[in-house]
Amino acid sequence: MQDGKQSSVAPHPVLSDYYESGEARRKKVDAMFDSSAQHYDWITKMMSFGSGGWYRRQALLRVGVGAGHQVLDVGAGTGEVSLIEQELVGSDGFVVALDPSKGMLSVAVENGVQRATMGLGEALPFPDNTFDFVTMSYALRHVADLQAAFEEYRRVLKPGGKMLLLEITRPEGAFTTAALKVYMKGIIPTVTRVFRGSKEAEELMRYYWDTIDQCVPPAKILDAMASAGVSNPQRNKVMGIFSEYIGSK
């Protein structure tokens, strides 16, 4: 924990369509992910037209994940990134998939994830200086406190270790934002309901867009990383809507 720590930094305001207070958020979010776990891989592959795995692999390679590394994948969900990381680190390294949702981690293990642990990014159950890399893919909007999470990521990294945080960011242009909203809050939930028959998964996809739409701007995320003691925090923008937040210890 750094000297002069500022107050907590929530990734977005209370979203009253889903929960009534910050205290109720965790229970609601976990319930949505638990009940949607069996549908999640289908939804994300459909939503990204099957390109999500390729993009994640390229991002991991760009930051340097490779043979023999120890990697923590926070907010691992069903393990898509963890599985790629397992391939990259090989038998001489290891990957730990961490998520607060028991349902999502159960699917991750079914998918082939070798090490799965329940937990929150803001309170990691690992000693200091454990990992070469901490990664998080499209889950930054679901933590309670950005700075607390970044402090924890920095704590468990070895000196010289890196973090890679992938996110979807609200586009800057009004037309692009409107088009993305139609796709993510209109089309994707509707297709999910029709083809998966899950009201819970449909609700999760609507919530997914609302967290993107209401998320704090990239500059505030970078400020929180810096305040948490992360070295050289930076954001790489990809295709206008994807953000790769990178920093080191």
Side-chain angles (χ1 to χ4, degrees):
M1 196 170 292
Q2 304 302 302
D3 293 336
K5 177 182 175 179
Q6 65 184 46
S7 58
S8 64
V9 182
H12 52 75
V14 169
L15 300 176
S16 57
D17 287 348
Y18 304 94
Y19 52 85
E20 295 301 323
S21 66
E23 292 73 23
R25 182 194 63 83
R26 180 78 268 154
K27 182 177 180 180
K28 175 63 176 178
V29 172
D30 285 350
M32 285 194 291
F33 277 105
D34 281 341
S35 60
S36 304
Q38 294 297 329
H39 308 288
Y40 197 76
D41 285 342
W42 184 92
I43 295 168
T44 55
K45 285 181 172 61
M46 177 270 298
M47 183 167 58
S48 66
F49 302 101
S51 65
W54 177 87
Y55 168 67
R56 290 170 173 86
R57 179 182 293 273
Q58 295 305 308
L60 291 168
L61 290 171
R62 281 194 292 272
V63 81
V65 176
H69 286 139
Q70 290 81 50
V71 183
L72 172 63
D73 187 26
V74 182
T78 58
E80 183 172 6
V81 170
S82 300
L83 291 169
I84 298 171
E85 291 169 343
Q86 285 179 184
E87 294 178 17
L88 294 177
V89 305
S91 58
D92 291 333
F94 68 84
V95 176
V96 179
L98 180 135
D99 200 278
S101 167
K102 183 178 180 180
M104 298 290 274
L105 282 182
S106 295
V107 175
V109 172
E110 291 173 7
N111 287 343
V113 167
Q114 296 167 357
R115 296 176 177 86
T117 300
M118 286 187 67
L120 295 172
E122 307 94 308
L124 296 174
F126 307 106
D128 297 358
N129 308 316
T130 300
F131 299 98
D132 298 299
F133 291 90
V134 173
T135 63
M136 183 180 233
S137 301
Y138 313 120
L140 197 58
R141 291 166 284 111
H142 305 314
V143 304
D145 183 345
L146 292 173
Q147 182 163 319
F150 297 148
E151 288 176 349
E152 280 290 271
Y153 300 170
R154 180 184 179 279
R155 179 183 67 79
V156 301
L157 279 173
K158 299 175 183 178
K162 297 179 181 179
M163 61 181 71
L164 170 66
L165 316 171
L166 303 180
E167 255 308 340
I168 300 176
T169 301
R170 190 176 188 269
E172 296 174 2
F175 176 80
T176 308
T177 299
L180 189 62
K181 179 178 180 179
V182 168
Y183 179 65
M184 296 196 69
K185 193 173 182 177
I187 295 174
I188 295 301
T190 300
V191 171
T192 297
R193 183 183 69 246
V194 171
F195 287 93
R196 304 301 292 184
S198 171
K199 292 182 179 179
E200 294 82 5
E202 177 188 6
E203 181 184 34
L204 178 61
M205 289 300 101
R206 295 187 189 281
Y207 176 76
Y208 200 85
W209 165 256
D210 286 336
T211 59
I212 294 169
D213 187 45
Q214 297 296 316
C215 189
V216 296
K220 192 162 187 177
I221 294 173
L222 291 171
D223 285 346
M225 293 175 73
S227 295
V230 177
S231 297
N232 194 28
Q234 55 188 292
R235 175 202 180 209
N236 299 326
K237 186 165 62 172
V238 180
M239 293 184 288
I241 62 170
F242 296 106
S243 293
E244 299 175 3
Y245 296 99
I246 302 169
S248 61
K249 177 173 178 177

